[in-house]
């Protein structure tokens, strides 16, 4: 079975450019999460969706970050404009549901973003 | 906000030795998840614990949850090179729909020497 799919795996861009990260959750999963991992701050949640609806976006750093989930099989995380401090590994994860027993999150391979 | 502290931060053991990694929460645990990460890769789910006193095992890895102490431990028996990596514990912040996010510890880097 296919796991969580993320693209691209690596992205190098220049400061000020728009960056779009993509995620395809595991088929049948109803919850989708975006995390960011850095050496300084570790792994932190940015935003998550249940049934395509954003539930908690309190971790989104600022207005430069936006996330959408237009349907159950696709989500994007966009940074516009990008800054060097956005350099990190961005993970997408999905879970079957939100109730205990269905809420185990399965992670994708991540997108390593470098902003020059 | 909830915080998870892992100890030790790094661990070097000789192949074949046993080891334990601890994860302590600053608040009540509603679900504790253990993941393993190798450099440049995503997190691999290992085990999930929900109830106090619960213990789960998979191959040579055993995880326990002490709800009263708000603590979980991960024990590896007869370590192998394949066990090397970064181990992260994650905790759910609540049980309602709006509280399913996970907060993570800073990770424990495990090195196995042959």
């Amino acid at each position: 079975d296919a796991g969580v799919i993320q693209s691209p795996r690596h992205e190098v861009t220049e400061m000020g450019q728009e960056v779009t990260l993509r995620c395809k959750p595991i088929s049948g999963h109803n919850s989708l999460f975006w995390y960011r991992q850095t050496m300084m701050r570790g792994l932190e949640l940015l935003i998550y969706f249940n049934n395509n609806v954003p539930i908690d976006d309190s971790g989104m750093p600022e207005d430069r970050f936006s996330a959408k989930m237009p349907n159950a099989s696709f989500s994007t995380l966009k940074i516009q404009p990008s800054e060097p401090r956005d350099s990190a590994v961005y993970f997408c994860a999905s879970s079957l549901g939100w109730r205990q027993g269905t809420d185990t999150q399965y992670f994708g391979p991540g997108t390593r973003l470098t902003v020059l | 906000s909830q915080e998870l502290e892992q100890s030790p931060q790094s661990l070097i053991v000789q192949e074949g030795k046993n080891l334990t990694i601890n994860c302590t929460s600053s608040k009540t645990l509603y679900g504790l998840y253990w993941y393993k990460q190798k450099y440049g890769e995503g997190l691999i789910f290992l085990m999930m614990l929900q109830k106090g006193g619960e213990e789960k095992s998979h191959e040579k890895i055993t995880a326990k949850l002490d709800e009263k102490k708000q603590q979980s431990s991960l024990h590896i028996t007869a370590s192998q090179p394949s066990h090397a990596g970064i181990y992260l514990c994650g905790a759910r912040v609540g049980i309602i729909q709006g509280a399913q996010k996970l907060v993570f510890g800073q990770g424990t880097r495990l090195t196995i020497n042959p």
Side-chain angles (χ1 to χ4, degrees), chain A residues 18-60:
Chain A
E18 177 180 297
V19 175
T20 299
L21 311 182
R22 298 173 175 79
C23 175
K24 177 179 171 57
I26 294 172
S27 178
H29 280 195
N30 297 310
S31 297
L32 183 141
F33 306 80
W34 283 101
Y35 288 89
R36 179 171 67 176
Q37 187 177 40
T38 62
M39 289 293 292
M40 290 297 295
R41 299 175 66 90
L43 190 62
E44 52 184 355
L45 179 76
L46 299 176
I47 184 172
Y48 76 89
F49 298 82
N50 281 346
N51 297 313
N52 313 337
V53 176
I55 302 298
D56 183 352
D57 65 354
S58 59
M60 295 287 264

Side-chain angles (χ1 to χ4, degrees), chain A:
Chain A
D1 290 341
V4 175
I5 299 172
Q6 291 187 247
S7 65
R9 293 292 311 275
H10 301 273
E11 177 80 37
V12 180
T13 190
E14 292 188 348
M15 182 174 63
Q17 296 298 307
E18 177 180 297
V19 175
T20 299
L21 311 182
R22 298 173 175 79
C23 175
K24 177 179 171 57
I26 294 172
S27 178
H29 280 195
N30 297 310
S31 297
L32 183 141
F33 306 80
W34 283 101
Y35 288 89
R36 179 171 67 176
Q37 187 177 40
T38 62
M39 289 293 292
M40 290 297 295
R41 299 175 66 90
L43 190 62
E44 52 184 355
L45 179 76
L46 299 176
I47 184 172
Y48 76 89
F49 298 82
N50 281 346
N51 297 313
N52 313 337
V53 176
I55 302 298
D56 183 352
D57 65 354
S58 59
M60 295 287 264
E62 48 199 88
D63 292 345
R64 297 185 297 107
F65 285 69
S66 62
K68 294 182 179 180
M69 192 164 186
N71 56 63
S73 59
F74 183 67
S75 177
T76 59
L77 179 68
K78 186 177 291 186
I79 307 173
Q80 166 64 19
S82 58
E83 297 182 2
R85 59 189 168 130
D86 301 331
S87 298
V89 181
Y90 291 81
F91 288 104
C92 177
S94 70
S95 68
L96 190 60
W98 63 268
R99 297 181 191 277
Q100 289 182 310
T102 69
D103 60 350
T104 296
Q105 295 179 28
Y106 297 91
F107 283 73
T111 295
R112 182 173 295 275
L113 173 65
T114 302
V115 183
L116 303 175

